[in-house]
Amino acid sequence: MLNGKSILLIVGGGIAAFKALDLVRRLRERGAAVTPVLTGAGAEFVTPLSLSALAGQQVYRDLFDLTAEAEMGHIELSRASDMVVVAPATADLMGKMAGGLADDLASTLLLATDKRVLIAPAMNVRMWDHPATRRNAERLRADGILFAGPTDGNMACGEYGPGRMAEPLEIVSAIETALGQGPLTGRHVLVTSGPTHEPIDPVRYIANRSSGAQGTAIAAALRDLGAQVTFVTGPAVVPAPAGVDVVPVETARQMLAAVEAADPADAAIFAAAVADWHVTEASHQKIKKGANGLPELGFAENPDILAAVSQRDRGRPSLVVGFAAETEKVVEHATAKRARKGCDWLLANDVSPGTGIMGGAENKVHLVTADGVEDWPRMDKNAVAARLAAKIAEALG
Ligand code: C5P
């Protein structure tokens, strides 16, 4: 079921657009609200009137429509729904998405959204098989775009092969899966990620080599199991995943404030590489080199966010997970750290330069719990995240 969910449906220009009308009906039957967007080419195949009548809402068509823009700006429109669905997704729309173009309402919404995007491609088999479309599809998959279809079949053009749009019910089921009716549905999980930046003056800061890749993968894996994820992230290299509530911060103190301000969570995962110190009395003006000699920097310890949350008397998440980036005696240090901080689980990893783990695509972790240590094999950070998310779902029951 999709009760209470809101779908922004972009209808592209293809003969399969007629199936989009049935898709609207199926989505509404399941309790979803559908806001339709019709491309110029889409309007050649279905009328705005039939789309609007079935959706029970106005159809958005024009990027520069003053009335529509005054009611709901295109940025807001791209973010007000739970998910963006493109059906049919033409070769042209896929090309625009892959290239980051924004020359009409549909492509602008797709570029501006922070929600998950699912496309149902539909095109002639030769167009689907064309190297350009193959490249675009690969690019879109790497960008995290979800696909429903295309399937093999007879096409309106008389040819047979892949390129046929998935049936409305298949698209509905892909939407239901993506909107995460999973074991963590109804659970709130907090994830911290990325490095922190601790300012020295307005242009300089102290940072670390964290890319945010592992925290981002964990947030996405928890989302995929249905959790509502609050993602508190320092200035990471890797973009935040779609479909989570992003709270960007810069310093450790801001990260603590964001964590304290978040709604009560069932589980909290502290994957951020938080700086241990900040510069006391960071200068408000750029520090000049020269006459006054070398600058003297004073340091103060940052709040330990993981320890603060783990040791809360009230409002402690029932599962608190920390990370321990170590360069020697990994398990020994991690075991001591788990006890010291008071968290339930600690994922320890060796971040010595030779491992390529910090900033890299893979991770090798040891899961330290009250029951002992599990050594996980070296694997892709997404695989570590999926395994951790499954374990969290199991622990929360
Ligand atoms: O003490 P250490 O930095 O090694 O601990 C790592 C763990 O503690 C990570 O989970 C990190 O996110 C968390 N941490 C924190 N606040 C700090 C320092 C670390 O939440 N100030």
Side-chain angles (χ1 to χ4, degrees):
M1 289 303 279
L2 291 166
N3 278 329
K5 298 291 181 194
S6 151
I7 307 291
L8 184 75
L9 175 65
I10 295 173
V11 179
I15 190 72
F18 77 93
K19 289 198 214 170
L21 297 175
D22 191 33
L23 176 61
V24 173
R25 203 166 60 82
R26 304 288 188 176
L27 288 169
R28 293 198 64 201
E29 269 170 15
R30 280 159 183 75
V34 181
T35 303
V37 174
L38 192 57
T39 67
E44 301 289 333
F45 293 89
V46 293
T47 69
L49 191 59
S50 43
L51 202 51
S52 150
L54 282 167
Q57 287 206 44
Q58 89 171 86
V59 176
Y60 292 86
R61 296 182 59 187
D62 193 354
L63 185 55
F64 302 109
D65 178 338
L66 275 183
T67 321
E69 198 64 19
E71 279 168 14
M72 190 190 283
H74 61 267
I75 298 290
E76 206 183 324
L77 188 57
S78 74
R79 298 184 187 168
S81 55
D82 295 298
M83 185 164 194
V84 180
V85 176
V86 188
T90 58
D92 178 64
L93 262 174
M94 286 177 61
K96 281 183 178 160
M97 288 172 75
L101 298 187
D103 66 349
D104 62 2
L105 182 62
S107 50
T108 303
L109 294 176
L110 285 160
L111 201 59
T113 190
D114 60 352
K115 294 301 182 320
R116 304 201 83 191
V117 177
L118 181 135
I119 65 172
M123 66 199 71
N124 167 272
V125 58
R126 304 248 176 264
M127 292 169 81
W128 176 252
D129 282 340
H130 194 284
T133 311
R134 307 261 37 84
R135 271 198 309 275
N136 291 338
E138 205 175 303
R139 177 73 260 163
L140 293 174
R141 282 204 169 92
D143 289 346
I145 303 295
L146 302 167
F147 280 61
T151 55
D152 281 8
N154 288 316
M155 300 196 171
C157 54
E159 290 186 77
Y160 181 90
R164 197 162 178 271
M165 189 166 98
E167 291 305 321
L169 282 181
E170 290 168 337
I171 300 173
V172 167
S173 128
I175 294 170
E176 281 175 337
T177 307
L179 284 178
Q181 299 299 313
L184 290 175
T185 299
R187 301 292 197 162
H188 176 217
V189 183
L190 176 76
V191 179
T192 70
S193 182
T196 62
H197 285 181
E198 307 295 336
I200 296 170
D201 67 17
V203 296
R204 303 181 180 95
Y205 55 83
I206 295 174
N208 59 65
R209 295 187 197 281
S210 166
S211 63
Q214 187 62 82
T216 301
I218 292 169
L222 292 162
R223 171 205 65 197
D224 288 347
L225 296 186
Q228 180 222 328
V229 179
T230 299
F231 186 63
V232 180
T233 177
V237 177
V238 173
V244 301
D245 301 323
V246 183
V247 186
V249 297
E250 200 159 308
T251 67
R253 286 162 292 165
Q254 290 166 357
M255 188 171 273
L256 174 66
V259 165
E260 302 276 321
D263 289 339
D266 296 294
I269 294 85
F270 293 89
V274 184
D276 289 319
W277 312 281
H278 65 266
V279 176
T280 48
E281 292 162 33
S283 173
H284 294 298
Q285 304 298 334
K286 185 182 172 194
I287 303 171
K288 296 286 186 198
K289 72 176 170 192
N292 298 332
L294 295 176
E296 298 251 323
L297 297 182
F299 288 95
E301 208 162 304
N302 273 330
D304 191 318
I305 308 165
L306 170 63
V309 172
S310 298
Q311 293 164 25
R312 266 184 198 164
D313 292 330
R314 282 194 294 148
R316 184 191 190 277
S318 46
L319 183 67
V320 179
V321 183
F323 271 76
E326 304 288 346
T327 54
E328 56 170 354
K329 298 187 184 154
V330 176
V331 171
E332 196 182 314
H333 285 170
T335 308
K337 192 171 283 180
R338 192 188 81 85
R340 197 168 63 242
K341 302 230 185 196
C343 58
D344 303 298
W345 298 352
L346 200 91
L347 282 162
N349 52 4
D350 185 345
V351 293
S352 310
T355 63
I357 282 175
M358 206 147 193
E362 288 185 337
N363 206 351
K364 174 163 175 30
V365 304
H366 310 271
L367 175 66
V368 182
T369 70
D371 300 329
V373 183
E374 265 180 35
D375 299 317
W376 294 6
R378 187 177 172 115
M379 52 184 145
D380 187 88
K381 286 183 176 171
N382 292 320
V384 172
R387 186 156 165 179
L388 177 66
K391 243 186 138 56
I392 291 170
E394 197 184 310
L396 293 182

